[in-house]
Amino acid sequence: VRAIMGTNIDPHLFTPTTSEIRALGNADVVFYNGLFLEGRMVDAFKKIEKSGKRIFAVAAGLDESSVRSPSEFKGHPDPHIWMDVQLWSSCLQEVVRKMAKVDPDGADEFSKNADAYAEQLDLLDEYARKSIASIPPELRVMVTAHDAFGYYSRAYGIEVKSAQGITTESEPGVNDI
């Protein structure tokens, strides 16, 4: 497994280098979040897919009714799905289906690993719910620079206020701050 984007990289603004495009093209299979999270990489993904490579959006298997589409996104869905642990966990089966197509002999192992990971995610979700429940409802407010917490807000009952808005490409104004 090789991650193209490292830590502290803004996926909305990331532009792959030639060597990163080459690495994607040489991969046996490529998974990415989808929902336009990887903004500038979408064209690269399309080119790689046209070449016959197996490339899959993890979010492709989500029920549309579970995907947020706030007006601030201007026609794009909110890509920050991992902020709702249960929603993120629901993506596991899409990954298992795609991996089983790539490597049918490994299907049982992929399924077993996904089940184990789902158990870990269930524990994380339970911890988040229990921890947040300890905060009085009227105090459940998160102030953040970048509004990437809509799913978190919906899942865990926390109001989110952000200075920057939904995209890291926007600049917060004095009134926002």
Side-chain angles (χ1 to χ4, degrees):
V1 174
R2 176 174 174 208
I4 296 296
M5 288 183 226
T7 57
N8 299 319
I9 299 292
D10 183 342
H12 304 293
L13 303 177
F14 179 77
T15 302
T17 64
T18 302
S19 64
E20 290 162 339
I21 296 289
R22 191 176 310 113
L24 288 169
N26 290 331
D28 294 323
V29 62
V30 175
F31 284 95
Y32 65 102
N33 186 83
L35 301 176
F36 300 102
L37 175 71
E38 298 86 356
R40 297 179 182 172
M41 288 192 65
V42 172
D43 290 338
F45 292 149
K46 286 178 183 176
K47 286 178 185 175
I48 292 165
E49 188 173 37
K50 283 182 184 177
S51 75
K53 292 291 179 177
R54 295 173 283 212
I55 184 164
F56 306 109
V58 172
L62 288 175
D63 184 295
E64 279 188 41
S65 66
S66 65
V67 177
R68 295 180 65 248
S69 294
S71 59
E72 315 85 270
F73 279 63
K74 297 180 182 146
H76 294 290
D78 180 348
H80 305 97
I81 56 178
W82 63 91
M83 294 291 185
D84 175 344
V85 178
Q86 288 182 343
L87 185 60
W88 184 243
S89 184
S90 72
C91 295
L92 285 171
Q93 291 313 308
E94 180 70 10
V95 174
V96 169
R97 278 192 297 276
K98 299 303 184 184
M99 285 299 296
K101 284 184 180 180
V102 172
D103 179 8
D105 293 338
D108 289 340
E109 185 176 355
F110 302 140
S111 185
K112 185 177 114 183
N113 290 341
D115 290 345
Y117 184 44
E119 285 180 25
Q120 291 177 0
L121 291 175
D122 286 344
L123 291 172
L124 176 61
D125 182 67
E126 182 182 322
Y127 170 78
R129 290 181 189 284
K130 185 182 284 186
S131 297
I132 292 167
S134 72
I135 302 168
E138 67 276 7
L139 298 179
R140 294 180 194 164
V141 179
M142 176 190 295
V143 178
T144 180
H146 172 46
D147 188 6
F149 297 92
Y151 291 105
Y152 188 82
S153 172
R154 184 177 75 183
Y156 303 109
I158 294 183
E159 181 182 3
V160 176
K161 303 213 179 241
S162 68
Q164 192 174 29
I166 201 63
T167 175
T168 54
E169 293 182 35
S170 66
E171 292 291 328
V174 172
N175 289 337
D176 298 318
I177 295 170

